[in-house]
Amino acid sequence: MKVLMLNGSAKPAGNTYTALLEVGKQLEKEGIAYEIVQIGGKPIRDCIGCGKCTENGCVFTDDGVNDFLAKAKEADGFVFGTPVYYAHPSGRILSFLDRVFYSGSKAFQFKPGASVAVARRGGTSASFDCMNKYFGISQMPVAGSTYWNLAHGGAPGESALDEEGMQTMRNLARNLAWMMKCFEAGKQQGVCLPETERGARTNFIR
């Protein structure tokens, strides 16, 4: 089993990465492999609602969205990490995930996910709430921890000094690993995925 993580920071070795790495280290202790995908500093397109998604994902192929989606199809769980900009997730991770989920949400259905928010000081809980919206609309069970999945730090790597934050990351990893193992055990026992109704699109605007 494998967890696919996404670092939504333009800094590949900043505090968001430090938090995700702590999750990854604990996952390995639980017998779960992981990979951290870096969004990096190159431009990320917004979703423009063009409706031209393909079987491979987004019609635009000049960034890492479709590569991430291909990895997501093979992954068993997810952790999305974001730095906090103006009490909100980074614009780049929202643009990235909007396109990933809009063009390939089936890759995430019934797989557990979690989000992590990292800031110098404020805005973490609002960013955490925003990131969790992707799970709720995509039939993804959400892994929790012993606190909200937050860590604090200013200078790169400083979040490692947030003792409670790192503890939260490790407990998140334990809970995520446990959920994945339970789902796999259920699959082996013949527990089927729930049926999903489609088609109803209520629109009260006339």
Side-chain angles (χ1 to χ4, degrees), residues 101-102 105-106 108-109 131-142 196 198 201:
F101 276 85
Y102 196 83
S105 62
K106 289 184 179 179
F108 300 90
Q109 289 175 350
M131 295 286 287
N132 284 343
K133 301 297 193 299
Y134 292 100
F135 308 133
I137 199 172
S138 304
Q139 297 179 289
M140 297 176 67
V142 180
T196 301
R198 301 286 184 189
R201 303 278 292 186

Side-chain angles (χ1 to χ4, degrees), residues 47-61 66 102-103:
C47 179
I48 59 173
C50 65
K52 296 180 181 179
C53 306
T54 73
E55 61 181 14
N56 295 319
C58 184
V59 68
F60 298 109
T61 60
N66 289 345
Y102 196 83
S103 64

Side-chain angles (χ1 to χ4, degrees), residues 22-124:
E22 192 72 11
V23 174
K25 290 177 180 178
Q26 186 62 44
L27 285 171
E28 287 189 328
K29 293 179 181 179
E30 303 294 324
I32 306 292
Y34 76 94
E35 178 183 356
I36 299 176
V37 174
Q38 305 279 3
I39 284 184
K42 294 182 179 180
I44 301 293
R45 291 176 179 269
D46 290 329
C47 179
I48 59 173
C50 65
K52 296 180 181 179
C53 306
T54 73
E55 61 181 14
N56 295 319
C58 184
V59 68
F60 298 109
T61 60
D62 54 353
D63 54 29
V65 165
N66 289 345
D67 289 339
F68 183 83
L69 184 55
K71 293 175 183 289
K73 293 176 181 178
E74 304 301 322
D76 304 288
F78 303 91
V79 180
F80 305 144
T82 183
V84 175
Y85 297 163
Y86 293 95
H88 198 260
S90 74
R92 61 194 308 96
I93 194 171
L94 295 182
S95 294
F96 192 96
L97 290 177
D98 281 355
R99 288 170 53 216
V100 164
F101 276 85
Y102 196 83
S103 64
S105 62
K106 289 184 179 179
F108 300 90
Q109 289 175 350
F110 307 113
K111 299 177 183 179
S115 61
V116 170
V118 182
R120 182 191 67 84
R121 191 166 177 85
T124 48

